[in-house]
Amino acid sequence: MRISDKVVAQLKDLGVEVRQGVSLSDLTSLGIGGTTDELLLRRYETVPEVMRMLKDENIPHRFLGGGTNVLIADGELPWVVLHLPAAHPGVRVDGNAAYVDASADLGGMVTFCAKNNLGGMEGLIGVPGSVGGALRMNAGAYGTQIGPHVREVELYRAATGKVETLRGGDIRFDYRHTSFAPEDVMLRVKLELPSKPFKEILAGIKVCNEKRRSSQPLNQKSAGCIFKNPPGGSAGRMIDELGLKGHRVGDAMVSDRHANFFVNTGHASCVDMLKLIDEVRERVRSAYGIELENEVIVWRN
Ligand code: EPU
């Protein structure tokens, strides 16, 4: 979608940089996604005003975080994407509290806190993406989830059109799911982390990195696990047991390393990836009677 010069100029006045005709395949870890205009919001404070303007101008929009858990449609997209440029490091530490910008890199945040002798998040080290994205889906790995560390979240609430602060206790964090509304925009978070010597945290990080390297296709284009694990089960194990590793639709392929990772081996389209997801879901349903739920978020056009 292309926005008019008039709106581009209005956005510029709000400090928003508009990049026209951006291929979202360059902004996603899957390397899949069509073309649209990208709005870079350099200041968090402008989020409500920008959202209001887009609503007034009838411009559909989506908010893109790190782009690591999303599968985006092909072709010219009927909405623009909003994006908060990555903050470096985007973290401030005060005692056991870490104040983090939503656009900070999750791994960078874990490392920054570790250097300040704050631990508890070792398992999250290799999870790609932004802190805001991790917060929205309650990302987790190796026994660690971000949710239990959250004390406060500052967010743009789509329902009220305002920036609000929620207390951690008022947010539901479940397995790969939270009580945030889909249109809410994460802005900042306050985490409370246990004190731990840097060396000890580093040792934990090394163990997790090693486990991840030995079981996941880290050097291929993917969105991490495609499906959530069903209660008490493992999607990866079931798909593997069905002999589907290496199964492909075009350039979309079930990883031969970890069966719940679907990789883009070249120029996979969203259509290819969706077909692969449906085929695998169907095979699991007919063999195990289990309906796998997507973990990856699909943005259709
Ligand atoms: N397994 C297989 N074949 C496979 C993959 C896994 O037999 O191809 C078996 C493993 O041998 C193991 C079991 O399935 O016995 C579980 O595998 P793994 O330890 O890799 O964990 P997972 O349940 O597949 C989850 C998360 C990952 C996270 C790891 C480590 C989900 C959907 N996935 O994977 O998170 O990194 O545990 O904690 O919850 C993600 O969410 O994107 C993600 C990668």
Side-chain angles (χ1 to χ4, degrees), residues 256-271:
D256 42 26
R257 190 152 243 259
H258 191 299
N260 197 11
F261 279 64
F262 292 10
V263 294
N264 174 5
T265 60
H267 299 283
S269 65
C270 181
V271 170

Side-chain angles (χ1 to χ4, degrees), residues 31 50-51 53 64 77 102 128 140 167 189 252:
V50 171
M51 298 301 241
M53 178 189 295
L64 185 69
L77 302 165
R167 285 181 303 129
V189 59

